[in-house]
Amino acid sequence: GGYVDKYEGDAIMCDFNVPFFDPDHTWKACYAALDQQEFLQKRNAHYEAQYSAHIKVRYGINTGTVSAGNMGSKHRFQYTVMGDTVNQASRFEGANKFYKTSIMIGEETYQNSKDKIEARLLDKIVVVGKSKPVLAYELLAKKGELSSDKQLLVEEYNQGLQAYFQREWDTAVQHFQKALEIMDDPPSRILLERCQEYAQQPPEKDWNGEFNLSIK
Protein backbone atom coordinates (compact mmCIF):
# COMPACT_ATOMS: atom_id res chain seq x y z
CA GLY A 1 0.00 0.00 0.00
CA GLY A 2 3.01 2.35 -0.02
CA TYR A 3 5.20 3.50 -2.86
CA VAL A 4 8.91 3.91 -3.51
CA ASP A 5 9.70 7.59 -3.08
CA LYS A 6 13.37 7.53 -4.07
CA TYR A 7 16.62 5.63 -4.09
CA GLU A 8 19.38 7.25 -2.01
CA GLY A 9 22.60 5.37 -2.65
CA ASP A 10 22.05 2.05 -0.91
CA ALA A 11 18.81 3.24 0.74
CA ILE A 12 15.19 3.06 -0.40
CA MET A 13 12.68 5.58 0.94
CA CYS A 14 9.01 4.56 0.94
CA ASP A 15 5.93 6.61 1.83
CA PHE A 16 2.54 5.44 3.10
CA ASN A 17 -0.78 7.26 3.51
CA VAL A 18 0.09 9.92 0.91
CA PRO A 19 -1.10 11.16 -1.49
CA PHE A 20 -4.16 8.97 -0.80
CA PHE A 21 -5.48 8.38 2.73
CA ASP A 22 -5.14 4.82 4.06
CA PRO A 23 -6.34 4.15 7.63
CA ASP A 24 -4.23 0.97 7.73
CA HIS A 25 -0.98 2.56 6.62
CA THR A 26 1.00 1.91 9.83
CA TRP A 27 0.64 -1.86 9.96
CA LYS A 28 0.98 -2.10 6.20
CA ALA A 29 4.37 -0.38 6.44
CA CYS A 30 5.35 -2.88 9.13
CA TYR A 31 4.18 -5.82 7.05
CA ALA A 32 6.08 -4.52 4.02
CA ALA A 33 9.31 -4.57 6.04
CA LEU A 34 8.60 -8.02 7.50
CA ASP A 35 7.74 -9.46 4.08
CA GLN A 36 10.99 -8.10 2.66
CA GLN A 37 12.97 -9.67 5.50
CA GLU A 38 11.29 -13.02 4.91
CA PHE A 39 12.01 -12.84 1.18
CA LEU A 40 15.63 -11.87 1.82
CA GLN A 41 16.20 -14.79 4.18
CA LYS A 42 15.08 -17.18 1.44
CA ARG A 43 17.21 -15.48 -1.19
CA ASN A 44 20.34 -15.34 0.97
CA ALA A 45 20.78 -19.10 0.67
CA HIS A 46 21.00 -18.62 -3.10
CA TYR A 47 23.27 -15.58 -2.81
CA GLU A 48 25.65 -17.40 -0.48
CA ALA A 49 25.80 -20.49 -2.71
CA GLN A 50 26.22 -18.56 -5.95
CA TYR A 51 28.21 -15.49 -4.92
CA SER A 52 29.47 -16.11 -1.35
CA ALA A 53 27.48 -13.01 -0.39
CA HIS A 54 25.08 -12.39 2.49
CA ILE A 55 22.80 -9.35 2.29
CA LYS A 56 21.47 -7.53 5.35
CA VAL A 57 18.89 -4.75 5.29
CA ARG A 58 17.87 -2.37 8.10
CA TYR A 59 14.55 -0.54 8.37
CA GLY A 60 13.34 2.55 10.20
CA ILE A 61 9.58 3.16 10.33
CA ASN A 62 8.00 6.24 11.84
CA THR A 63 4.52 7.78 11.88
CA GLY A 64 3.52 11.42 12.22
CA THR A 65 2.80 14.69 10.49
CA VAL A 66 4.84 15.49 7.37
CA SER A 67 4.96 18.06 4.62
CA ALA A 68 3.89 16.25 1.44
CA GLY A 69 3.88 17.58 -2.09
CA ASN A 70 6.03 18.53 -5.04
CA MET A 71 9.40 19.62 -3.67
CA GLY A 72 12.08 21.38 -5.69
CA SER A 73 11.94 24.05 -8.37
CA LYS A 74 9.70 24.64 -11.38
CA HIS A 75 12.33 22.97 -13.56
CA ARG A 76 13.05 19.94 -11.39
CA PHE A 77 10.81 18.60 -8.65
CA GLN A 78 9.49 15.42 -7.12
CA TYR A 79 6.53 14.43 -4.98
CA THR A 80 7.96 13.53 -1.58
CA VAL A 81 7.59 14.00 2.18
CA MET A 82 9.74 16.06 4.54
CA GLY A 83 9.87 16.88 8.25
CA ASP A 84 10.99 15.62 11.67
CA THR A 85 8.91 12.47 11.27
CA VAL A 86 10.91 11.55 8.17
CA ASN A 87 14.22 12.40 9.83
CA GLN A 88 13.34 10.27 12.84
CA ALA A 89 12.61 7.28 10.60
CA SER A 90 16.08 7.68 9.14
CA ARG A 91 17.57 7.81 12.65
CA PHE A 92 15.71 4.62 13.60
CA GLU A 93 17.20 2.88 10.58
CA GLY A 94 20.70 3.87 11.62
CA ALA A 95 20.12 2.99 15.28
CA ASN A 96 19.68 -0.64 14.26
CA LYS A 97 23.45 -0.76 13.80
CA PHE A 98 23.99 -0.12 17.51
CA TYR A 99 21.43 -2.66 18.76
CA LYS A 100 22.17 -5.16 15.94
CA THR A 101 18.47 -5.27 15.10
CA SER A 102 16.76 -5.18 11.70
CA ILE A 103 13.51 -3.21 12.03
CA MET A 104 13.03 -0.30 14.43
CA ILE A 105 9.74 1.58 14.71
CA GLY A 106 8.51 4.63 16.62
CA GLU A 107 5.94 4.99 19.38
CA GLU A 108 3.04 6.11 17.18
CA THR A 109 3.71 3.36 14.66
CA TYR A 110 3.64 0.81 17.47
CA GLN A 111 0.48 2.16 19.10
CA ASN A 112 -1.39 2.24 15.79
CA SER A 113 -0.23 -1.26 14.78
CA LYS A 114 0.04 -3.27 18.01
CA ASP A 115 -3.07 -5.34 17.25
CA LYS A 116 -1.37 -6.52 14.04
CA ILE A 117 2.28 -6.93 15.05
CA GLU A 118 4.64 -8.45 17.60
CA ALA A 119 7.14 -5.92 18.94
CA ARG A 120 9.11 -5.05 22.05
CA LEU A 121 10.07 -1.76 23.59
CA LEU A 122 13.78 -1.65 22.88
CA ASP A 123 15.00 1.47 24.65
CA LYS A 124 14.42 5.15 25.29
CA ILE A 125 16.90 6.88 23.00
CA VAL A 126 18.11 10.36 22.14
CA VAL A 127 19.25 10.33 18.52
CA VAL A 128 22.02 12.45 17.06
CA GLY A 129 20.96 16.06 16.59
CA LYS A 130 18.03 15.85 19.05
CA SER A 131 17.67 16.48 22.79
CA LYS A 132 14.29 14.85 23.48
CA PRO A 133 14.22 11.08 24.12
CA VAL A 134 11.88 8.87 22.10
CA LEU A 135 10.71 5.30 22.64
CA ALA A 136 12.17 2.88 20.11
CA TYR A 137 10.54 -0.48 19.44
CA GLU A 138 11.87 -3.52 17.63
CA LEU A 139 9.42 -4.99 15.13
CA LEU A 140 9.65 -8.76 15.46
CA ALA A 141 6.83 -10.45 13.55
CA LYS A 142 3.24 -10.31 12.41
CA LYS A 143 0.71 -10.93 15.18
CA GLY A 144 0.73 -14.53 16.34
CA GLU A 145 3.84 -15.48 14.37
CA LEU A 146 6.48 -15.09 17.10
CA SER A 147 8.22 -18.33 18.11
CA SER A 148 7.76 -19.61 21.67
CA ASP A 149 11.45 -19.10 22.47
CA LYS A 150 11.31 -15.53 21.23
CA GLN A 151 8.19 -14.88 23.30
CA LEU A 152 9.99 -16.06 26.46
CA LEU A 153 12.98 -13.89 25.58
CA VAL A 154 10.78 -10.82 25.09
CA GLU A 155 9.11 -11.40 28.45
CA GLU A 156 12.47 -11.49 30.22
CA TYR A 157 13.71 -8.47 28.27
CA ASN A 158 10.61 -6.46 29.13
CA GLN A 159 11.01 -7.21 32.84
CA GLY A 160 14.69 -6.34 32.66
CA LEU A 161 13.95 -3.08 30.87
CA GLN A 162 11.38 -2.03 33.46
CA ALA A 163 13.85 -2.75 36.27
CA TYR A 164 16.47 -0.78 34.33
CA PHE A 165 14.16 2.25 34.06
CA GLN A 166 13.60 2.03 37.84
CA ARG A 167 17.37 1.88 38.54
CA GLU A 168 17.11 -1.66 39.89
CA TRP A 169 20.36 -2.74 38.27
CA ASP A 170 20.78 -6.16 39.91
CA THR A 171 17.22 -7.20 39.06
CA ALA A 172 17.63 -5.98 35.51
CA VAL A 173 20.89 -7.92 35.12
CA GLN A 174 19.17 -11.12 36.25
CA HIS A 175 16.41 -10.76 33.65
CA PHE A 176 18.81 -9.92 30.83
CA GLN A 177 20.97 -12.91 31.76
CA LYS A 178 17.90 -15.15 31.65
CA ALA A 179 17.03 -13.73 28.23
CA LEU A 180 20.52 -14.58 26.97
CA GLU A 181 20.16 -18.12 28.28
CA ILE A 182 17.17 -18.56 25.98
CA MET A 183 19.02 -17.36 22.88
CA ASP A 184 21.72 -14.94 21.79
CA ASP A 185 20.12 -11.50 21.79
CA PRO A 186 22.31 -8.42 21.15
CA PRO A 187 19.89 -5.92 22.80
CA SER A 188 19.84 -8.03 25.99
CA ARG A 189 23.63 -8.15 25.98
CA ILE A 190 23.89 -4.39 25.45
CA LEU A 191 21.45 -3.56 28.27
CA LEU A 192 23.11 -6.12 30.55
CA GLU A 193 26.50 -4.43 30.12
CA ARG A 194 24.93 -1.00 30.56
CA CYS A 195 23.29 -2.04 33.84
CA GLN A 196 26.60 -3.41 35.11
CA GLU A 197 28.27 -0.09 34.28
CA TYR A 198 25.49 1.93 35.93
CA ALA A 199 25.72 -0.23 39.06
CA GLN A 200 29.31 0.98 39.42
CA GLN A 201 28.70 4.53 38.24
CA PRO A 202 24.98 5.49 38.39
CA PRO A 203 23.54 8.07 35.98
CA GLU A 204 22.59 11.57 37.09
CA LYS A 205 19.64 12.07 39.46
CA ASP A 206 17.51 13.58 36.68
CA TRP A 207 18.04 10.52 34.46
CA ASN A 208 14.74 9.15 33.17
CA GLY A 209 15.98 6.06 31.37
CA GLU A 210 17.21 7.77 28.21
CA PHE A 211 20.35 6.74 26.34
CA ASN A 212 22.24 9.08 24.01
CA LEU A 213 23.16 7.46 20.72
CA SER A 214 26.36 8.70 19.15
CA ILE A 215 25.78 7.17 15.69
CA LYS A 216 23.37 8.04 12.89
Side-chain angles (χ1 to χ4, degrees):
Y3 73 94
V4 175
D5 182 319
K6 61 174 67 71
Y7 295 92
E8 301 174 345
D10 64 346
I12 300 173
M13 177 175 169
C14 299
D15 306 333
F16 290 77
N17 202 38
V18 289
F20 304 109
F21 175 69
D22 182 354
D24 300 320
H25 64 96
T26 52
W27 69 259
K28 286 182 178 179
C30 292
Y31 276 32
L34 290 168
D35 287 346
Q36 289 174 63
Q37 282 288 314
E38 182 180 359
F39 176 82
L40 187 59
Q41 288 177 6
K42 296 176 181 177
R43 292 299 298 170
N44 263 328
H46 169 72
Y47 298 146
E48 289 169 354
Q50 288 289 107
Y51 311 109
S52 298
H54 182 88
I55 298 175
K56 294 182 179 180
V57 181
R58 297 183 302 268
Y59 302 79
I61 303 175
N62 200 32
T63 304
T65 302
V66 299
S67 295
N70 290 328
M71 309 290 182
S73 69
K74 64 180 181 180
H75 299 295
R76 184 182 179 91
F77 62 86
Q78 176 188 354
Y79 186 92
T80 189
V81 295
M82 298 180 68
D84 283 345
T85 298
V86 182
N87 295 336
Q88 185 65 63
S90 177
R91 295 294 187 267
F92 283 147
E93 183 275 320
N96 282 299
K97 289 183 284 187
F98 179 80
Y99 294 94
K100 294 180 172 58
T101 51
S102 296
I103 312 174
M104 193 176 296
I105 66 177
E107 169 76 4
E108 190 167 345
T109 304
Y110 170 74
Q111 293 296 339
N112 292 346
S113 308
K114 60 184 178 182
D115 293 338
K116 294 276 191 177
I117 62 172
E118 303 283 357
R120 63 169 162 177
L121 176 58
L122 198 60
D123 205 351
K124 184 185 294 185
I125 61 176
V126 180
V127 298
V128 177
K130 298 291 183 179
S131 58
K132 184 179 179 180
V134 295
L135 297 179
Y137 293 77
E138 181 187 10
L139 177 61
L140 300 168
K142 297 176 182 178
K143 197 70 174 182
E145 296 186 6
L146 201 62
S147 68
S148 57
D149 284 347
K150 195 71 173 183
Q151 288 177 13
L152 292 173
L153 183 147
V154 169
E155 289 175 6
E156 291 293 345
Y157 186 90
N158 288 342
Q159 293 181 66
L161 191 63
Q162 291 307 310
Y164 162 78
F165 287 149
Q166 295 168 14
R167 296 172 177 256
E168 298 172 357
W169 315 122
D170 292 341
T171 301
V173 165
Q174 292 175 10
H175 285 295
F176 292 132
Q177 287 176 334
K178 288 180 181 179
L180 289 168
E181 290 172 3
I182 298 171
M183 67 174 66
D184 182 44
D185 181 53
S188 293
R189 191 165 54 250
I190 290 169
L191 268 293
L192 169 63
E193 294 172 355
R194 195 187 300 171
C195 287
Q196 291 171 332
E197 292 174 1
Y198 283 166
Q200 298 298 319
Q201 187 173 352
E204 300 295 331
K205 291 183 178 181
D206 60 351
W207 179 79
N208 290 311
E210 69 276 6
F211 181 76
N212 291 281
L213 282 178
S214 58
I215 60 173
K216 289 187 177 181

